[in-house]
Every structure is written in structure tokens, then in C-alpha cells.
Amino acid sequence: DTAVSQTPKYLVTQMGNDKSIKCEQNLGHDTMYWYKQDSKKFLKIMFSYNNKELIINETVPNRFSPKSPDKAHLNLHINSLELGDSAVYFCASSRNRGLGEQYFGPGTRLTVT
Amino acid sequence: GENVEQHPSTLSVQEGDSAVIKCTYSDSASNYFPWYKQELGKGPQLIIDIRSNVGEKKDQRIAVTLNKTAKHFSLHITETQPEDSAVYFCAAMRGGADGLTFGKGTHLIIQP
């Protein structure tokens, strides 16, 4: 069984489009995250979401918005895509906020042309 | 905010030899230090972690050491095997914080 899953694995789209990436975890965790990995493989936190509380990294543009229909899902919506948004996006989850032991999904490679 | 430095960026060792990757952190309030292994095309996989109340932790061929005074921690892999080849990331986090701060990664190459 896959603990943290993401769809799609690859996403190619044009500048200006709006797209979504889905994430689901079956670990029963309370906290979920989105990370961005750039072309140099640097991983950076974008959001954490716990019990309807969203913590946003201040450097993330407001074109990015996470949405959580329930505790097991945290989707990432991106509006007006730009070339610089091209990266690999990872979803992760942990038992609770600040308790470490984060488990990552397989990633979604987003390419904006 | 927290800043994590990781060295080296690339490490090549002979199969069977040991590999050591080092990280330093800046925030003295950080108390959780995981290590992740990322294989090509996959997500980071948690391989070992340590909390600030211990100085060393071992799991088979891998071990992590933590020096809180100097604010640095290291990953040690003994008897390296070809399947150890991957990118390794260290990270740090404060209690109650939101998200991990990662180092820039070390590409470990195991030479047969």
C-alpha cells in the first residue's frame, strides 16, 4: 500500500494556465505539507496544513493555494502558471505538527512551457 | 529562520568503504534532525533521525551523530553497497515548527 500518493506524476502545461496536483495519505496523519524541489534539487517547504490551520511560507506566491477536502487529502492549486514554477512538487505528511517523521510522496514533475 | 549547510555536495567511495556526510544548523532551538535518501525519480525516503536529547543513533549500517554545542550532525554509512548510491539530504526542525529545513544534498556515488 502506498502511504502518500500524488497525481499526476508528470504535468506539462503552458504559461498562464491553471492546474492542480492531488495528494492523499493513508497513514492517518493529522498534518500534511507541500514542498518544492527546484532544478538544483533544493527542497523547500511551501505549506503545512493541520486541522484546518494553514501555515504559509512567506515566499510562496499567492497564485499557489492548498485545499484540503478532508484530513487525508491536500491538493495544490496553481493559477496563472509561470516558467519559474517548473519544478518537482512533493506532498508529505506527519502524525502531527512539529513532531518530525515526515513521509513523502513520489512527487509531481511540473513543466511549464 | 533556520539555515542548514551540508557537505560535501558529491562524495565518491569504493564499495565496502565508509561514507560520512556532515551538516551544520544555525537555530539552537532546532531539536529534530532527520536524514533522507532520494533515488532518481522518487520522493525522499526517511532513513534515520535523531532528536536533541541523544548524541548518537544507529540502525544496522547507518548511524547519525549529533553535537548540540557545535550545532552539527553527521550521517555515517559503513560497508557501502551499490544500492547506497543516491542523493542524501539532512534536515532540521524546531519543536512545533512547520516543515523541515533541508540541506542542499549530497550525491553519494559507490564505485564498484
Side-chain angles (χ1 to χ4, degrees):
Chain A
D1 285 342
T2 302
V4 182
S5 59
Q6 294 179 230
T7 54
K9 187 162 177 63
Y10 300 97
L11 182 56
V12 181
T13 188
Q14 292 184 325
M15 284 175 55
N17 285 348
D18 303 336
K19 289 293 179 184
S20 295
I21 305 171
K22 294 185 177 182
C23 176
E24 176 181 1
Q25 54 93 5
N26 63 6
L27 296 166
H29 287 171
D30 286 336
T31 305
M32 296 182 73
Y33 310 82
W34 278 103
Y35 287 83
K36 178 180 180 180
Q37 186 171 46
D38 63 22
S39 58
K40 295 185 178 179
K41 290 201 171 293
F42 184 51
L43 275 158
K44 192 168 184 180
I45 182 74
M46 299 177 70
F47 305 100
S48 72
Y49 193 88
N50 176 284
N51 194 25
K52 301 185 180 180
E53 182 186 6
L54 176 65
I55 308 297
I56 302 171
N57 184 314
E58 61 189 14
T59 65
V60 176
N62 57 15
R63 297 182 295 103
F64 290 78
S65 57
K67 288 188 171 43
S68 179
D70 54 59
K71 201 173 80 166
H73 297 82
L74 184 66
N75 304 324
L76 182 64
H77 297 272
I78 317 170
N79 295 325
S80 303
L81 277 155
E82 300 178 356
L83 292 175
D85 298 332
S86 295
V88 182
Y89 292 85
F90 289 100
C91 177
S93 72
S94 66
R95 189 159 45 92
N96 210 329
R97 179 183 166 194
L99 290 181
E101 294 182 5
Q102 294 184 21
Y103 297 92
F104 283 73
T108 296
R109 180 174 293 278
L110 171 66
T111 303
V112 182
T113 62
Chain B
E2 175 66 276
N3 182 49
V4 177
E5 299 284 342
Q6 182 173 347
H7 299 279
S9 56
T10 304
L11 178 59
S12 182
V13 301
Q14 289 294 124
E15 183 178 350
D17 288 350
S18 295
V20 181
I21 302 170
K22 298 182 178 182
C23 289
T24 60
Y25 60 98
S26 60
D27 187 350
S28 56
S30 288
N31 61 5
Y32 176 67
F33 308 94
W35 286 88
Y36 285 84
K37 175 183 181 182
Q38 187 177 25
E39 296 174 320
L40 196 62
K42 297 185 177 180
Q45 177 192 3
L46 179 65
I47 56 171
I48 196 168
D49 57 12
I50 193 167
R51 298 185 188 275
S52 59
N53 57 345
V54 298
E56 183 174 358
K57 184 176 178 180
K58 193 173 181 180
D59 182 3
Q60 298 183 346
R61 295 187 298 110
I62 59 173
V64 57
T65 58
L66 171 65
N67 183 327
K68 282 193 300 181
T69 304
K71 289 192 281 194
H72 68 70
F73 56 113
S74 301
L75 177 71
H76 304 253
I77 306 175
T78 59
E79 300 171 21
T80 52
Q81 300 168 5
E83 54 265 35
D84 295 330
S85 294
V87 179
Y88 290 79
F89 292 94
C90 64
M93 190 172 79
R94 290 183 306 159
D98 296 288
L100 296 163
T101 300
F102 282 89
K104 291 192 174 180
T106 296
H107 186 193
L108 177 62
I109 301 165
I110 308 301
Q111 304 278 7

